[in-house]
Amino acid sequence: MKITDTSDLWWRSAVVYCLDVETFMDWTGDGKGDFVGLAHRIDYLAQLGVTCLWLMPFYPTPGRDDGYDITDFYGVDPSLGTHGDLVEVLRLADDRGIRVIVDLVVNHTSDQHPWFTAARSSRESPFRDYYVWRDAPPPGHEENVFPDKETGVWQRDEKTGQYYQHSFYRQQPDLNITNPAVRDEIAKILGFWLQLGVSGFRVDAVPFLLDTAGVDAARQLLPDPHEYLRSLRSFMGRRSGQSILLGEVNLPYEDQLEFFGGPDGGELTMQFDFLTMQHLYLSLARQDARPLVQTLLARPELPDGAQWAIFVRNHDELTLDKLSDDERQEVFAAFGPEPGMQLYGRGLRRRLPPMLDGDPRRIRMVYSLLFALPGTPTLFYGEEIGMGENLAVEGRSAVRTPMQWTAGANAGFSTAAERKLPAPVTPGGYGPAFVNVESQDHDPDSLLVFVRKLVQTYRTTFEIGFGAFGVLDSGTPGVLAHEMRWDEGCVVALHNFSPESAEVRLPLEGSAVLDLLTGIREPLPEKGPAVLSLEGYGFRWLRLLA
Ligand code: NOJ
């Protein structure tokens, strides 16, 4: 028997599941989710087949940016539990073969962080240079990431009369990574969490972290920020050989390649594929696979071991910023025509099922793609049951409503009074009465059971995570056909973006194909192309049999 050890590259065939402890499960009954609640739901994640849990920020925070404004990088916010509760989650996850990665948010701190409190107390503070200060904003206007709340990236500090940089909200002053003391602090933070047993980090806002342009030229002590990212990765590798940096880098592919460390690698292990995500939505809007095909073909070759993370939804606005204005308007028109569904002029604040009018064929086709595209699938909590958004909740929080466990009060998330919840549960047709774990758990026709099937099939189909990828000519604009070859295996996947059924002719080698999702074998003709049929919005994963 041939044994192939892929375990040292575990992230290439992982199933990542992102959740915020605050909205997942409340065990203490105070209205907020907590680590004890999560501990009680680890078996749910194990049963789903998750292999890597990504915990959104759980650190002490004033909550200006849903935890992405941190006051103590070593702490656990008391409302979520204690270090003891967190370690219990790590232990349980480990026992079920689930790795845990945590958000590393070191582009900025909260303005309440003791470093910033000290830094702003006087220009002579030893912490002053932990942040980026200027006597006046440098020339040229830089737009803030949150244009609905901020007009720029410089904020005057009244007491000391200088301006500090904040790429995000003004309550999130940017750290100055050109300062060696800050780099030492960041290394210590990584070291702390690795020692506690995490398998790596989802690195927040990496291009902002590495952008040192705001630092006064006279104080620039870091000529090449990428060199810093490289040294951080190698530090992490020395501390924990199998740990990963999964970076948030929403940039064109050529720039993303730089964040992998160029063709030789050595910087980020994985990056979210924002371009594939955005063009997937354009393909869905047009019912035409070609925008997605072109994007997949434009992907650069990655360094050894590096990997894309695929996602169709995350906790932020569904950004469409890399589409042209016309393309973005097309997606808006198809999936979020009302201004209240849009955000920052560049994205949508909706979840997938309502955007697709609840059409189960289309929803399943998209999740099939999530697992069949080369890269590591990343689920945002609630996607597996088809949760919708709550547009009555402000901004990005529309998609951060409590996990829907049952049809009961507060979706079974909490026994507290409704007003104590972090956000009201989603109302209407996507609310707990219609969408919840309990009712889908044993229903063979449910989305949850379908996603479990996808996860299981993906996890036993190593071609997806490890294989050489190629787009095949489907001959039909609506259909994406791609192959993945690894070792001696070859899997061909077909996805139909159009409502019309299709017949795809492909020159396939072998005697038959095995449909990995249905188990049905189909013989291949001895001569000539195989003719494979697909229903409208249909999809197939086919293993070629010798
Ligand atoms: C990116 C995160 O995904 C987002 O939620 C957050 O607001 C910003 N970074 C700032 O940390």
Side-chain angles (χ1 to χ4, degrees):
M1 189 178 102
K2 187 168 168 191
I3 298 176
T4 313
D5 180 14
T6 53
S7 59
D8 58 339
L9 296 176
W10 61 268
W11 58 91
R12 293 197 57 152
S13 56
V15 178
V16 181
Y17 189 96
C18 166
L19 64 84
D20 186 350
V21 177
E22 189 188 23
T23 51
F24 202 59
M25 183 65 212
D26 170 22
W27 208 258
T28 57
D30 65 352
K32 270 188 146 194
D34 43 54
F35 275 103
V36 181
L38 173 56
H40 282 88
R41 291 294 182 262
I42 290 291
D43 281 323
Y44 167 76
L45 299 176
Q47 200 190 2
L48 181 56
V50 170
T51 64
C52 177
L53 178 57
W54 154 22
L55 296 180
M56 286 170 63
F58 50 78
Y59 314 100
T61 174
R64 180 65 189 81
D65 184 10
D66 215 0
Y68 282 92
D69 48 329
I70 297 169
T71 54
D72 175 5
F73 290 111
Y74 300 101
V76 172
D77 195 89
S79 67
L80 306 176
T82 63
H83 279 107
D85 300 326
L86 164 69
V87 167
E88 196 56 14
V89 164
L90 294 179
R91 182 190 73 79
L92 286 166
D94 184 52
D95 187 61
R96 273 60 164 176
I98 300 176
R99 293 170 183 268
V100 177
I101 63 173
V102 297
D103 238 291
L104 180 72
V105 190
V106 287
N107 170 71
H108 46 264
T109 67
S110 157
D111 64 351
Q112 325 253 311
H113 192 291
W115 296 340
F116 192 68
T117 315
R120 79 190 318 181
S121 68
S122 113
R123 291 196 189 197
E124 275 67 55
S125 162
F127 290 96
R128 187 75 173 175
D129 278 349
Y130 270 43
Y131 297 88
V132 183
W133 298 93
R134 287 289 188 112
D135 291 332
H141 177 73
E142 243 182 280
E143 197 162 308
N144 193 282
V145 176
F146 301 130
D148 61 331
K149 294 277 186 316
E150 301 290 352
T151 52
V153 300
W154 294 95
Q155 177 67 29
R156 190 178 144 82
D157 179 58
E158 290 309 325
K159 180 159 182 224
T160 56
Q162 280 187 312
Y163 291 77
Y164 64 85
Q165 190 181 25
H166 61 94
S167 304
F168 298 91
Y169 295 120
R170 73 189 63 184
Q171 294 87 351
Q172 293 167 300
D174 287 349
L175 280 167
N176 172 14
I177 60 152
T178 73
N179 180 347
V182 169
R183 300 203 295 273
D184 284 350
E185 298 278 11
I186 294 174
K188 248 193 290 179
I189 294 163
L190 250 78
F192 176 84
W193 292 106
L194 290 171
Q195 202 67 29
L196 215 60
V198 309
S199 293
F201 304 88
R202 178 268 187 186
V203 193
D204 189 62
V206 191
F208 296 91
L209 172 68
L210 259 55
D211 181 2
T212 57
V215 180
D216 208 323
R219 306 177 92 89
Q220 269 282 4
L221 296 171
L222 185 70
D224 180 5
H226 277 281
E227 199 43 54
Y228 167 53
L229 186 54
R230 188 178 295 274
S231 70
L232 196 66
R233 167 76 182 276
S234 77
F235 165 80
M236 188 184 74
R238 291 195 302 279
R239 288 289 174 96
S240 172
Q242 288 192 2
S243 52
I244 59 160
L245 295 177
L246 163 54
E248 182 200 24
V249 180
N250 178 12
L251 289 178
Y253 280 140
E254 70 225 55
D255 298 323
Q256 285 197 280
L257 186 57
E258 272 191 58
F259 284 85
F260 278 118
D264 295 332
E267 296 184 31
L268 297 172
T269 330
M270 299 218 285
Q271 290 178 49
F272 293 105
D273 190 344
F274 279 92
L275 286 169
T276 289
M277 181 280 286
Q278 300 193 29
H279 289 88
L280 163 65
Y281 279 93
L282 185 58
S283 273
L284 288 169
R286 290 188 181 164
Q287 311 209 324
D288 180 337
R290 286 174 296 184
L292 178 60
V293 167
Q294 280 150 19
T295 307
L296 292 170
L297 290 173
R299 277 174 159 189
E301 201 175 318
L302 296 189
D304 273 355
Q307 178 75 311
W308 295 110
I310 314 278
F311 67 107
V312 300
R313 197 62 186 93
N314 68 8
H315 61 287
D316 286 324
E317 80 280 8
L318 186 126
T319 183
L320 302 166
D321 66 336
K322 296 290 178 288
L323 301 182
S324 71
D325 290 347
D326 287 347
E327 291 168 343
R328 189 178 316 109
Q329 290 311 323
E330 272 182 73
V331 180
F332 279 174
F335 301 134
E338 292 167 28
M341 299 169 168
Q342 302 164 10
L343 201 58
Y344 312 135
R346 63 174 184 247
L348 289 166
R349 47 192 219 102
R350 307 191 74 192
R351 281 183 178 251
L352 181 82
M355 286 197 277
L356 298 182
D357 293 328
D359 184 342
R361 296 171 308 163
R362 282 181 108 183
I363 295 168
R364 286 171 190 227
M365 192 275 282
V366 173
Y367 285 113
S368 165
L369 255 180
L370 173 69
F371 286 91
L373 281 175
T376 299
T378 305
L379 283 167
F380 181 49
Y381 78 93
E383 283 196 279
E384 70 278 20
I385 53 170
M387 274 172 56
E389 71 281 349
N390 184 352
L391 289 172
V393 183
E394 208 215 339
R396 292 170 294 161
S397 298
V399 300
R400 302 177 184 178
T401 58
M403 178 66 181
Q404 293 169 197
W405 296 104
T406 71
N410 297 334
F413 158 77
S414 172
T415 54
E418 203 184 334
R419 65 188 153 74
K420 294 191 166 168
L421 307 190
V425 295
T426 299
Y430 295 93
F434 302 96
V435 176
N436 67 74
V437 171
E438 193 176 56
S439 65
Q440 295 191 26
D441 201 16
H442 299 288
D443 174 357
D445 298 325
S446 68
L447 184 63
L448 177 58
V449 169
F450 170 73
V451 173
R452 276 188 199 140
K453 173 80 187 169
L454 288 176
V455 172
Q456 280 160 22
T457 313
Y458 158 86
R459 283 184 59 181
T460 49
T461 308
F462 281 96
E463 287 86 350
I464 301 174
F466 290 92
F469 161 74
V471 173
L472 305 174
D473 180 7
S474 75
T476 314
V479 177
L480 164 65
H482 70 278
E483 66 168 18
M484 292 149 294
R485 290 177 183 271
W486 184 69
D487 218 359
E488 275 147 32
C490 178
V491 171
V492 170
L494 304 173
H495 289 84
N496 187 0
F497 282 75
S498 132
E500 311 299 333
S501 59
E503 276 197 343
V504 177
R505 286 165 196 276
L506 293 174
L508 300 180
E509 315 134 22
S511 63
V513 288
L514 173 66
D515 188 317
L516 295 172
L517 296 172
T518 62
I520 297 172
R521 251 168 205 263
E522 199 173 310
L524 290 175
E526 275 175 26
K527 279 199 196 126
V531 183
L532 303 159
S533 56
L534 277 174
E535 292 175 1
Y537 303 125
F539 49 88
R540 303 180 71 182
W541 301 12
L542 304 171
R543 177 180 293 291
L544 305 193
L545 303 178

